Amino acid sequence: MTNSLGSPVPFMSWDQVLNLQDRMNETAYALQKSPGQSADQGVGGVDASPDKRHLTVYWRGPVTPQARAIIATGRVAVEVKPAAHTEGQLADAAARVRDLAQQAGIGLEHVKRETDASALSVPVIGTDADARRLREAVAGLGVAVHVTSDGQSSIALADPGAYPDRENDPSAAGAQMIRPICSTGFTGKINASPVMFTADHCFVPGGKQDRRPSSDPYGPAFGERVTPRYSDPYGVPYDIAAIRPFPGTAFEPKMWTGPGLKGEPGTTQKTWVSSAKLPQSGNYVCNGGSRSGTTCNIRVTGYLDSYSATVPASETSDGVITYKSGTYSSGWQSKKVPTLLDRDPWAGITGDSGGPVVLADPNDNGSPGQYVTAVGIVSSGGSRGSQLCTTSLTAQCTTSMTFVRMDTVLRTLGATITVGTPWGTRDIGPGDMELLPATKVPQELYDRVTVRAENGAVLGSVPQGRAIGTDPGRPGTVWNLQLALDTSGTTHSLIDETYHRRLKFNNGDHSFNFVHIPSADPNKSPVIIRNGPLNACLKVSEGFRWFGSGQMLVSGVATQEPCNQDDPGQRFTLIPQGTGLSDEYVEATGDISLPEDVPGAPDASLGAAASFLAKTHDRYAVSGLGVPQSYTGGHFAPGAEFGPDGYQSSFTYDNSVMIAALLQRKNRDVARATRLGDSLLYAQAHDKVPDGRIRASYLPNPFVTADGTPYVGGFSVYTGNMAWAGMAFSRLYKETGEQRFREGALKAAEWIQTNAADSRGLGGYTGGWVDTGGTGDAMVRREWKATEHNIDVGAFFAMLAQVTGDQTWKSRSDNAFAFVRGMQADDGRLWTGTGTDGVTQNRDSVPEDVQTWSYLATLDPSFSRSVDWAAEHLAATDGPYRGVSFAKADTGKVWLEGTAHLLAAYHARGAAGDRDKAAVLQDTLTRIQAEAPNGDGQGIVAASSDGLATGEGDIYYASLHTGATAWYLLAGQGGNPFRL
């Protein structure tokens, strides 16, 4: 086990200590309050020391069935040991010891119960003879009493000095008040009126009962004592009191934190007191008194039925306070435990009296952070080992501290404590504390967790050392949460327990913070995982499933993004695995990388591309319905071949990509995207076969003919085009919330499912229907299956599942991607698809688009090999331009749309070296935009030179292309049209 760097050995971090302690207390309290106990049968003592990694309960007599049930169902291991006495028997014996000592005139330091319930420990403040007399007097009590003669009166932690040194207002716990110098405790209510709890000995009997803040010692008082001195059933007073506020003073459920006397005198740090609970022996707590400031690593060592303290006796007219020895009831003794990061031995300082004792949140490494839990009020400090503090003229520093537990405070005063969060406050009574759920309190941090985002994705990793996301049906990687060894203990690192690699941000940093964020669900407290130096946060996206050859592959992506606490991909829940305590320290042997940050295109270049799309769209549709022509200029310019307006066709695929591009974060144009989407909806609704189909292409002039039908250019209905239109509709629905786009997407999806779903071979979807007569009257079903089409369908149906919530579409998406998976060769490339039998692979031509689209649509690492295959085998060079071609048939010219595909894939993947590779492609696209033949300085041409052969019978030309330009606008800013 590694050194704990601030947390008690053998723990690796404070989150382990505190979450185990919380589970121990939960079970201990349930056992203490369990029915079936009697005067001579039941709990005698509890040891809830996290160091032992199990709860020890000392029980007298047979363990009751009710107790056995609690032990069996508790969240912590429980060891039951025999006890000589019950808690009730010890309490009665303690009262008798006090009476006998008082009758004999013998002073006692305290009456303390041994944790194992075997005896009472009683140090006498007196001589050996006094100790012998008391031993003789208590010999017949029936409870062993260990009497010693080394007792010393405790130091009441009020300071009679005139030197206040913390200047916080008394609105919250831990502020300083005078005189004597004491601290404010927690805020609460008595008879529905607000009060501030503090210590009884902070008030001189017969003296002034009002109090002033140390920040204005000669100004007006902020409140006065409102409660009398209360005593236990045996007549021993409690060291507790309450102050009511004067007009102009408001108490709030917060605590001042910060260094106190041990640092600067003032603090501007405040934290919410969000809950109240009951500590047990062995627990670690923090002292929030005004002199100590925030002091943690304090361990509860036992319960005192009574304890002595030097308390104020009187005050002269000129303000001199005299002290005497007094006795108080019901204290919890605690002692500072120095650690490597906190070597200070002091648990308390005079001036802390009446201040707050708290449990820190598990995520804050043992110190108060955003929230704390109230557990008690500071009373006194032990004389042994105390000394004059080096930073004060009057203050005494003590190694131990006694506090009054909050249930005693509330029951005695008939009060409630007010707790709160940024989302509201509430009042709770003494019987509610231990049973109170941790509502709005940051969740516990375990040392073994899975990490799940609110979008359902789960953080995982793969053997190649890459971080991924899995889908909601998979457990994800188990991560070992460890204190970052190169920090002060405020950050953590995540180590994959399978591969023993540490998650690494792009700056090489392995450490991060858990930052708790608001949640509408009061039972949840999500976190964002933030890297401070980068001011960046972890994000995961849901993966996909493929069912093929008896295998299931699940993957998504993990990325480093600007922090956005509203992004469900950045809002995480940490799900504990096992007990929350590792038996072994996991040593990291490597790194898990996040994608490289690939720089985007110059803003001016992206703006120019957006301007080209806008003017092309508006040529035939300044307002209302209309579609842009896909190709302009060069080979497609007006002339003998294409007439006075040039080549007019407007391809559905190009228009769908254009919609995605117009909805990106830069140069957003929702209005044009919506008009173009409405035009596709119109074509769908007014087709002569109104079954949801959308044709391959339309003509823009006029788009709507005289009879109200769209002007169709190509009557074929391809499955891939239908899917692209469906993705455009899904994106528009998510963007605008307009139901018409959701309905259009569903119609397109139903058409695909009805007309293209196929059960042969690997399943998937066929190519659609091809027009053989030029009028749409002679349509022939295509029995082949294209890998490209199945990528499109898989992505579209996954989007549809997201926007509709209907997981049937997710299953159909999985079917399409199973086909894609089956098309991958051993070298990583994806084959074109199948022949007409739907089974035999078509290996005649290997196009670029399926290689990059498979990765963009799935973000699966196995398709990363397809990206690399395309970059290597389809690399094309044409003079100064370097990119990829359509296929191997012609690599002497650059296909600019395909080059943008590859650029988008590099942005999405961010693997080692992708940044440099992307820069080459970006340079080509920017130069082509500025200087290509037939260009206009805005749009992107289809090919770097005329005559680029695809190998499938088609030719690309150096003509401006809406599809290529839209892909550039997407890729240049890291956009991905396949994912919402």
Side-chain angles (χ1 to χ4, degrees):
M1 182 69 71
T2 185
N3 191 286
S4 58
L5 287 184
S7 58
V9 175
F11 296 93
M12 292 181 294
S13 61
W14 268 106
D15 57 86
Q16 295 181 4
V17 179
L18 296 175
N19 93 71
L20 176 59
Q21 176 173 293
D22 195 52
R23 299 199 303 272
M24 286 181 166
N25 292 351
E26 175 187 277
T27 301
Y29 185 77
L31 288 169
Q32 289 168 328
K33 297 301 180 182
S34 64
Q37 300 182 73
S38 64
D40 61 354
Q41 179 188 12
V43 175
V46 166
D47 184 356
S49 302
D51 313 59
K52 296 182 179 179
R53 301 198 175 201
H54 66 268
L55 174 69
T56 302
V57 176
Y58 297 91
W59 188 281
R60 176 178 168 81
V63 179
T64 62
Q66 296 93 329
R68 291 184 184 279
I70 292 169
I71 292 170
T73 58
R75 298 193 300 153
V76 68
V78 179
E79 179 184 22
V80 179
K81 291 186 175 183
H85 310 287
T86 65
E87 288 180 327
Q89 290 173 334
L90 292 172
D92 291 341
R96 185 61 179 149
V97 169
R98 284 198 307 266
D99 288 343
L100 292 170
Q102 186 176 13
Q103 292 169 14
I106 299 173
L108 306 178
E109 178 180 336
H110 60 239
V111 179
K112 180 180 180 180
R113 302 179 193 178
E114 296 294 337
T115 301
D116 63 3
S118 62
L120 298 174
S121 173
V122 183
V124 167
I125 302 174
T127 64
D128 289 340
D130 292 330
R132 283 195 299 272
R133 285 195 297 130
L134 185 59
R135 289 191 199 101
E136 293 171 358
V138 301
L141 287 183
V143 171
V145 181
H146 299 155
V147 181
T148 62
S149 59
D150 57 348
Q152 298 179 28
S153 185
S154 299
I155 302 170
L157 291 180
D159 188 346
Y163 301 99
D165 43 36
R166 198 178 196 188
E167 299 179 354
N168 292 120
D169 69 75
S171 62
Q176 201 169 86
M177 60 183 185
I178 58 172
R179 284 193 58 223
I181 296 174
C182 279
S183 302
T184 55
F186 304 106
T187 185
K189 290 179 181 175
I190 297 177
N191 296 325
S193 296
V195 295
M196 180 72 77
F197 305 120
T198 189
D200 170 76
H201 75 263
C202 290
F203 301 88
V204 180
K208 294 179 180 179
Q209 302 298 294
D210 60 359
R211 285 296 174 266
R212 288 170 172 76
S214 64
S215 58
D216 189 9
Y218 302 104
F222 68 84
E224 65 179 357
R225 179 170 180 162
V226 72
T227 55
R229 171 177 282 190
Y230 287 100
S231 298
D232 68 12
Y234 306 100
V236 181
Y238 297 105
D239 192 14
I240 53 177
I243 299 170
R244 71 174 179 87
F246 286 159
T249 298
F251 298 146
E252 58 182 346
K254 292 184 178 180
M255 183 182 89
W256 290 105
T257 62
L261 181 61
K262 291 179 288 186
E264 296 300 323
T267 177
T268 59
Q269 305 170 49
K270 243 185 219 182
T271 188
W272 285 96
V273 179
S274 59
S275 187
K277 290 191 175 183
L278 307 181
Q280 302 282 351
S281 291
N283 282 185
Y284 287 92
V285 298
C286 300
N287 173 11
S290 64
R291 274 278 173 75
S292 289
T294 301
T295 300
C296 294
N297 306 341
I298 299 174
R299 185 169 188 167
V300 181
T301 55
Y303 177 71
L304 309 178
D305 283 272
S306 64
Y307 57 100
S308 69
T310 52
V311 298
S314 63
E315 183 177 7
T316 66
S317 59
D318 57 355
V320 176
I321 300 174
T322 59
Y323 283 75
K324 68 175 183 179
S325 179
T327 301
Y328 283 118
S329 176
S330 303
W332 288 81
Q333 193 179 62
S334 57
K335 185 175 179 62
K336 180 67 183 297
V337 180
T339 66
L340 289 177
L341 288 183
D342 185 4
R343 299 177 184 272
D344 193 332
W346 310 121
I349 305 175
T350 50
D352 289 342
S353 283
V357 180
V358 299
L359 296 175
D361 176 73
N363 189 35
D364 295 310
N365 297 301
S367 299
Q370 187 178 4
Y371 301 95
V372 293
T373 295
V375 298
I377 297 294
V378 176
S379 177
S380 69
S383 297
R384 293 180 184 83
S386 68
Q387 67 179 45
L388 192 67
C389 299
T390 57
T391 51
S392 171
L393 296 175
T394 62
Q396 287 285 121
C397 286
T398 66
T399 58
S400 65
M401 173 189 70
T402 300
F403 63 92
V404 183
R405 207 166 69 167
M406 283 310 301
D407 56 336
T408 301
V409 176
L410 300 184
R411 285 195 178 94
T412 302
L413 300 181
T416 58
I417 183 173
T418 303
V419 297
T421 69
W423 305 276
T425 62
R426 54 188 171 154
D427 299 306
I428 58 177
D432 302 324
M433 289 189 290
E434 191 65 26
L435 304 179
L436 200 67
T439 303
K440 284 299 180 188
V441 179
Q443 67 192 69
E444 301 166 349
L445 294 182
Y446 295 73
D447 72 324
R448 298 181 67 248
V449 297
T450 52
V451 181
R452 184 179 64 200
E454 285 189 358
N455 63 4
V458 182
L459 178 65
S461 69
V462 293
Q464 294 83 359
R466 298 299 305 281
I468 64 168
T470 71
D471 82 339
R474 302 285 285 178
T477 297
V478 175
W479 299 91
N480 193 280
L481 181 64
Q482 294 186 2
L483 195 68
L485 301 182
D486 54 350
T487 72
S488 62
T490 59
T491 59
H492 288 80
S493 59
L494 281 173
I495 298 180
D496 178 343
E497 288 202 345
T498 302
Y499 304 115
H500 289 196
R501 297 191 182 106
R502 279 195 298 176
L503 185 66
K504 180 181 70 174
F505 277 80
N506 289 338
N507 62 348
D509 197 347
H510 299 92
S511 61
F512 48 83
N513 302 100
F514 290 111
V515 181
H516 295 273
I517 54 178
S519 172
D521 186 340
N523 296 313
K524 292 182 179 179
S525 181
V527 298
I528 57 175
I529 300 176
R530 177 179 177 272
N531 178 270
L534 288 174
N535 194 25
C537 288
L538 182 69
K539 177 178 180 178
V540 294
S541 301
E542 180 183 348
F544 293 82
R545 295 188 183 202
W546 297 275
F547 297 91
S549 304
Q551 295 181 333
M552 179 174 71
L553 176 66
V554 182
S555 86
V557 67
T559 56
Q560 173 184 299
E561 305 283 349
C563 294
N564 177 7
Q565 67 179 32
D566 296 322
D567 184 346
Q570 294 188 34
R571 295 167 65 95
F572 295 99
T573 297
L574 306 182
I575 304 170
Q577 303 297 312
T579 64
L581 292 169
S582 293
D583 292 330
E584 296 181 3
Y585 174 71
V586 177
E587 184 70 34
T589 58
D591 291 332
I592 298 170
S593 301
L594 295 171
E596 280 189 348
D597 182 21
V598 177
D603 286 347
S605 177
L606 294 175
S611 296
F612 170 80
L613 294 179
K615 74 178 183 182
T616 305
H617 176 273
D618 291 353
R619 179 179 179 186
Y620 296 109
V622 176
S623 62
L625 300 176
V627 292
Q629 62 190 86
S630 289
Y631 294 92
T632 53
H635 175 75
F636 297 108
E641 183 174 359
F642 298 113
D645 293 322
Y647 185 69
Q648 288 281 292
S649 287
S650 177
F651 290 96
T652 295
Y653 161 75
D654 293 333
N655 294 331
S656 300
V657 179
M658 185 170 163
I659 288 171
L662 294 175
L663 294 177
Q664 291 303 297
R665 63 183 180 274
K666 291 186 177 181
N667 305 289
R668 284 168 60 81
D669 193 341
V670 178
R672 284 192 176 86
T674 301
R675 296 210 320 266
L676 188 52
D678 280 333
S679 300
L680 293 179
L681 284 179
Y682 185 91
Q684 183 186 51
H686 293 82
D687 196 275
K688 66 180 182 178
V689 185
D691 62 352
R693 69 182 60 192
I694 298 174
R695 305 290 178 165
S697 67
Y698 298 91
L699 297 175
N701 189 23
F703 172 61
V704 180
T705 62
D707 64 0
T709 59
Y711 193 173
V712 177
F715 283 91
S716 296
V717 186
Y718 293 113
T719 300
N721 286 345
M722 291 293 295
W724 272 100
M727 284 189 277
F729 293 152
S730 299
R731 194 174 295 278
L732 281 165
Y733 172 66
K734 182 182 179 184
E735 179 70 34
T736 68
E738 296 292 338
Q739 287 294 319
R740 65 183 184 274
F741 292 118
R742 181 178 184 273
E743 293 168 2
L746 284 169
K747 288 177 182 177
E750 292 292 357
W751 190 96
I752 294 171
Q753 189 63 29
T754 300
N755 291 275
D758 189 73
S759 61
R760 297 171 298 164
L762 295 173
Y765 293 84
T766 58
W769 292 78
V770 176
D771 173 42
T772 59
T775 63
D777 294 328
M779 303 286 284
V780 176
R781 175 184 168 95
R782 288 307 188 205
E783 298 297 333
W784 44 258
K785 289 182 281 192
T787 303
E788 175 203 330
H789 290 184
N790 279 274
I791 293 170
D792 304 338
V793 171
F796 170 36
F797 285 178
M799 285 187 186
L800 200 58
Q802 285 182 259
V803 299
T804 66
D806 185 351
Q807 294 307 301
T808 300
W809 296 112
K810 182 64 164 63
S811 298
R812 292 168 178 171
S813 169
D814 293 340
N815 176 37
F817 282 123
F819 176 87
V820 176
R821 176 77 173 147
M823 289 296 108
Q824 189 170 33
D826 291 341
D827 62 0
R829 83 179 87 180
L830 288 164
W831 301 116
T832 306
T834 74
T836 56
D837 65 359
V839 176
T840 305
Q841 289 180 337
N842 176 4
R843 302 185 178 186
D844 292 342
S845 177
V846 182
E848 177 281 327
D849 54 6
V850 298
Q851 316 305 327
T852 50
W853 288 9
S854 59
Y855 184 81
L856 286 168
T858 66
L859 303 177
D860 174 56
S862 68
F863 292 131
S864 178
R865 297 186 301 148
S866 307
V867 174
D868 292 336
W869 187 92
E872 178 182 355
H873 296 279
L874 302 181
T877 301
D878 186 2
Y881 309 128
R882 296 164 59 193
V884 290
S885 187
F886 185 92
K888 281 189 174 183
D890 185 352
T891 57
K893 305 173 188 69
V894 178
W895 184 37
L896 280 312
E897 181 190 323
T899 299
H901 298 164
L902 185 56
L903 176 61
Y906 285 150
H907 271 279
R909 187 176 70 170
D914 282 354
R915 183 186 181 97
D916 294 338
K917 297 172 187 175
V920 174
L921 304 183
Q922 181 61 62
D923 177 69
T924 288
L925 289 162
T926 306
R927 294 182 66 176
I928 281 284
Q929 182 185 43
E931 62 192 32
N934 309 317
D936 65 351
Q938 294 181 326
I940 304 295
V941 295
S944 59
S945 300
D946 285 341
L948 189 158
T950 66
E952 297 177 354
D954 295 319
I955 301 292
Y956 282 104
Y957 298 92
S959 297
L960 290 168
H961 180 206
T962 56
T965 305
W967 263 106
Y968 172 61
L969 189 56
L970 282 160
Q973 54 187 307
N976 186 344
F978 292 98
R979 298 173 73 91
L980 288 178

